[in-house]
Amino acid sequence: RHAESALGWLLVTIGTSIMILSVITVLCLTLPRAAGLNAYVVVSGSMEPNYPVNCVVYARETEPAELNAGEVIIFNNPSRGSTPITHRVVANDTAEKLITTKGDANENIDVDPVSYDNVVGEVVMHIPYLGYTALAFCLSNWKLRTSALAASLM
């Protein structure tokens, strides 16, 4: 009996932990939207150590002409696929409407300057490690499975 109660306690603890982690993830991904922020997961090491892989960065829309060197932006680069890129502004050419960027961990500036039309927003904050659960939670099968697992364990 003692083994059964210990196993029951373990299963309830695991189920509760999954539910709490899911709720925290959902809140961290949805509440900032009320403040006009969008969340993105950093998927490469180009911005380490300041923005490690699998951290979630929050960006707000901004006027590209107002961006200054040193600020971190999210942008699209059509020649590199559909994944938004998070890099630091090195220079902003307002006459040409082009921004030169560089990853903090990269030795050289990015080859392609960013057109103002491709700027998604300016990074205003980040949460390390949240990307692990955020990416997993965004997979619809995972949401269904963890919800079912957590409910069955409670």
Side-chain angles (χ1 to χ4, degrees), residues 28-30 32-33 36-44 51-62 72-76 82-87 118-132 134-135 138:
C28 287
L29 294 175
T30 57
R33 283 189 168 281
L37 302 177
N38 291 310
Y40 301 88
V41 177
V42 174
V43 295
S44 81
Y51 299 90
V53 173
N54 283 313
C55 77
V56 172
V57 293
Y58 296 91
R60 65 176 167 170
E61 288 185 21
T62 188
V72 178
I73 63 169
I74 296 177
F75 61 93
N76 293 312
S82 62
T83 303
I85 299 168
T86 304
H87 277 180
N118 289 325
V119 173
V120 175
E122 178 185 2
V123 173
V124 295
M125 65 180 277
H126 75 284
I127 300 177
Y129 309 114
L130 182 62
Y132 290 107
L135 286 174
C138 290

Side-chain angles (χ1 to χ4, degrees), residues 22-112:
S22 296
V23 168
I24 290 171
T25 300
V26 169
L27 290 175
C28 287
L29 294 175
T30 57
L31 286 180
R33 283 189 168 281
L37 302 177
N38 291 310
Y40 301 88
V41 177
V42 174
V43 295
S44 81
S46 67
M47 287 299 289
E48 290 188 340
N50 297 316
Y51 299 90
V53 173
N54 283 313
C55 77
V56 172
V57 293
Y58 296 91
R60 65 176 167 170
E61 288 185 21
T62 188
E63 184 59 44
E66 296 175 6
L67 291 167
N68 297 307
E71 295 175 328
V72 178
I73 63 169
I74 296 177
F75 61 93
N76 293 312
N77 184 336
S79 68
R80 293 179 62 190
S82 62
T83 303
I85 299 168
T86 304
H87 277 180
R88 194 172 301 278
V89 173
V90 174
N92 188 350
D93 184 344
T94 55
E96 295 291 324
K97 297 185 178 183
L98 293 173
I99 298 173
T100 303
T101 57
K102 178 184 172 297
D104 289 353
N106 297 346
E107 290 185 23
N108 300 314
I109 62 172
D110 295 338
V111 176
D112 300 319

